């Protein structure tokens, strides 16, 4: 995201700081991931080979299959058949490349949100819709070791039985390498594989319902408009949940996905769920992505982290397939009506979720677009603090809120800190 800013407007307020950063919580910090999880992520290709081996000929053809599948998941999605994950070659390529990336992406987010964001107890049920090779289950196990000690049952729902079977085998192998800290705990979560699509009836209600990288696929086949589609999905996901439950939806960070997630956020709030992340408020979405994919001016909520710490073997597959991946972009929402720890209610304290790359500003300054209770916000980083996409800044206002200025072109509230 980038905009031209009115230098006169900016110059009129940039001399006196009106806010001070008192805390910065990262969304993407690899240091939050446990050491045993790092080892698994770095050796993921070896673990896959141990449960789903491929021969030397298949190894040679892997980059080509990955490249073809990548087109099928992006610019040639309309040509992809519904049961594409049931073929051995495609499933092998998917889990060795795309699942690996997704585990990295999900684990970064889950670890930094922390187990407190997933309030689960012994005996609780979880549902993962569009589970594929159990990527969410694996990532949550790796990222939040506190949850490994919980006795949980996971209903993993997908139209590909082969994908579910491989995913369970992968999860069991990974769980054996990363055991719970409590010696009396179950060695792994209970997995119940269910072949079916979103809406398939299950026999138990869940305290956690997850859905990752699935909406972008079913969007291709739906005839519903965005608002109706979002409502249908929210109602179906909530139908899996108990009266007290959490819902997580996580998708690749492209404009249309961000738009759907923004609409789902509104509906979850209507259903009396609290937004846990990424939003620091429950007011109108400041980055709803309206018409963004058609060139509209509305910004779309997405978060980016770099791939500099990517395992070398995964980088090599990407290079051999001719796929450049220097950044991973994601959009998501986590909501819950289970009691959560509340944030500070001080009038002078505001939280900002950074949702852009660094922006160059007049006067050799730089800043970031962010979301706050004031709507779209421009955080001017005068102190040159270490700020990254996805960061949650807790900021103390130094002046009255009514004195906050707005940028003339973006209408963003300007906080100079």
């Amino acid at each position: 995201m980038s905009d031209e800013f009115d230098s006169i407007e900016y110059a009129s307020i940039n001399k006196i700081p009106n806010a001070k950063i008192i805390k910065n919580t990262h969304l993407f910090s690899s240091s939050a991931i446990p050491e045993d999880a790092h080892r698994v992520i770095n050796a993921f290709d070896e673990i896959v080979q141990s449960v789903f081996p491929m021969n030397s000929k298949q190894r040679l053809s892997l980059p080509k299959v990955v490249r073809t599948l990548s087109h099928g998941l992006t610019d040639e999605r309309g040509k992809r058949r519904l049961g594409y994950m049931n073929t051995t070659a495609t499933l092998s390529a998917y889990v060795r490349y795309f699942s690996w990336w997704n585990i990295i992406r999900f684990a970064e987010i889950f670890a930094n949100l922390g187990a407190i964001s997933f309030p689960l107890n012994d005996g609780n049920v979880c549902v993962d819709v569009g589970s594929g090779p159990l990527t969410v289950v694996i990532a949550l196990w790796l990222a939040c070791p506190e949850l490994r000690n919980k006795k949980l049952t996971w209903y993993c729902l997908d139209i590909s039985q082969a994908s579910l079977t491989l995913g369970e085998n992968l999860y069991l192998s990974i769980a054996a390498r990363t055991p719970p800290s409590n010696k009396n705990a179950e060695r792994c979560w209970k997995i119940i594989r269910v072949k079916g699509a979103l809406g398939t009836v299950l026999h138990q209600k869940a305290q956690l319902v997850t859905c990752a990288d699935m909406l972008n696929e079913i969007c291709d086949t739906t005839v519903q408009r965005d608002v109706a589609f979002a409502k249908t999905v929210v109602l179906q996901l909530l139908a899996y949940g108990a009266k007290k439950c959490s819902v997580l939806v996580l998708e690749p960070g492209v404009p249309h996905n961000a738009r759907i997630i923004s609409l789902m956020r509104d509906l979850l709030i209507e259903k009396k769920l609290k937004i846990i992340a990424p939003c620091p408020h429950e007011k109108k979405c400041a980055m709803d992505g309206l018409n963004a994919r058609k060139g509209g001016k509305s910004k779309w909520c997405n978060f980016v982290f770099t791939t500099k710490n990517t395992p070398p073997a995964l980088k090599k597959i990407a290079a051999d397939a001719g796929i450049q991946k220097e950044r991973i972009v994601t959009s998501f929402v986590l909501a819950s009506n289970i009691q959560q720890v509340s944030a500070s209610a001080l009038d002078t304290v505001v939280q900002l979720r950074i949702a852009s790359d660094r922006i160059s500003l007049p006067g050799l300054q730089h800043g970031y677009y962010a979301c706050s209770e004031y709507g779209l916000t421009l955080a001017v980083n005068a102190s040159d603090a270490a700020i990254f996409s996805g960061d949650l800044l807790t900021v103390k206002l130094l002046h009255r809120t009514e004195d906050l200025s707005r940028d003339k072109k973006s209408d963003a509230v300007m906080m100079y800190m």
Side-chain angles (χ1 to χ4, degrees), residues 118-387:
F118 304 95
L120 296 168
N121 297 308
D122 283 341
N124 280 176
V125 172
C126 307
V127 172
D128 184 32
V129 183
S131 195
L134 275 64
T135 313
V136 167
V137 178
I138 291 170
L140 193 60
W141 176 274
L142 291 173
C144 299
E146 303 94 327
L147 296 181
R148 300 177 197 170
N149 294 319
K150 306 293 185 182
K151 185 177 181 180
L152 303 178
T153 297
W154 279 87
Y155 283 87
C156 297
L157 179 67
D158 199 273
I159 61 173
S160 170
Q161 186 65 56
S163 182
L164 291 172
T165 300
L166 172 56
E168 182 175 10
N169 290 337
L170 276 173
Y171 166 66
L172 294 175
S173 180
I174 288 170
R177 296 167 185 245
T178 53
S181 59
N182 184 349
K183 303 301 181 183
N184 296 319
E186 301 285 345
R187 306 306 292 172
C188 60
W189 298 325
K190 182 180 180 181
I191 304 297
I192 300 176
R193 304 192 309 265
V194 180
K195 183 179 180 180
L198 176 65
T200 299
V201 177
L202 302 177
H203 298 300
Q204 289 183 283
K205 297 295 184 180
Q207 282 71 41
L208 173 63
V209 181
T210 64
C211 175
D213 288 6
M214 187 195 74
L215 299 185
N216 62 327
E217 296 197 11
I218 60 177
C219 274
D220 293 340
T221 58
T222 184
V223 296
Q224 291 182 302
R225 293 185 179 274
D226 289 350
V227 174
F229 175 70
K231 183 175 182 179
T232 297
V233 174
V234 165
L235 293 177
Q236 289 177 318
L237 293 179
L238 289 177
Y240 289 123
K243 289 184 178 180
K244 295 292 184 180
C245 69
S246 302
V247 176
L248 169 70
V249 180
L250 200 157
E251 292 289 322
V254 298
H256 192 214
N257 290 346
R259 172 61 178 163
I260 297 298
I261 287 177
S262 176
L263 291 169
M264 293 178 70
R265 170 192 180 273
D266 293 343
L267 292 164
L268 290 167
I269 292 173
E270 285 183 16
K271 296 296 182 180
K272 309 302 181 185
L273 277 73
K274 299 289 184 182
I275 303 301
I276 308 304
C279 318
H281 64 89
E282 294 181 0
K283 297 181 180 179
K284 184 179 184 299
C285 179
M287 302 181 184
D288 62 10
L290 179 63
N291 296 324
R293 62 176 174 155
K294 299 177 182 178
K297 293 184 178 180
S298 292
K299 291 173 172 52
W300 43 283
C301 182
N302 66 99
F303 308 99
V304 178
F305 72 99
T306 66
T307 59
K308 62 182 180 180
N309 296 321
T310 303
L314 181 53
K315 283 186 176 180
K316 186 178 187 307
I317 296 174
D320 291 345
I323 301 172
Q324 297 296 323
K325 191 180 280 289
E326 297 178 353
R327 296 148 50 93
I328 297 179
V329 187
T330 192
S331 297
F332 76 100
V333 64
L334 172 62
S336 178
N337 59 11
I338 302 173
Q339 186 174 3
Q340 298 281 333
V341 178
S342 59
S344 172
L346 295 175
D347 290 339
T348 58
V349 174
V350 179
Q351 288 190 315
L352 281 67
R353 179 71 75 175
I354 302 298
S356 81
D357 291 325
R358 174 171 160 155
I359 303 166
S360 295
L361 300 172
L364 300 179
Q365 298 280 3
H366 65 274
Y368 305 83
Y369 279 124
C371 185
S372 76
E373 63 186 73
Y374 299 104
L376 184 65
T377 302
L378 178 63
V380 183
N381 189 13
S383 61
D384 204 28
I387 297 175

Side-chain angles (χ1 to χ4, degrees), residues 84-121:
Y84 71 99
M85 288 285 278
N86 283 316
T87 65
T88 301
T90 300
L91 181 56
S92 179
Y94 184 89
V95 76
R96 283 177 164 84
Y97 183 74
F98 297 97
S99 287
W100 202 350
W101 279 121
N102 288 338
I103 287 172
I104 292 171
R105 175 165 58 112
F106 298 167
E108 286 263 355
I109 294 173
F110 298 164
N112 285 281
L113 290 178
I116 192 174
S117 297
F118 304 95
L120 296 168
N121 297 308

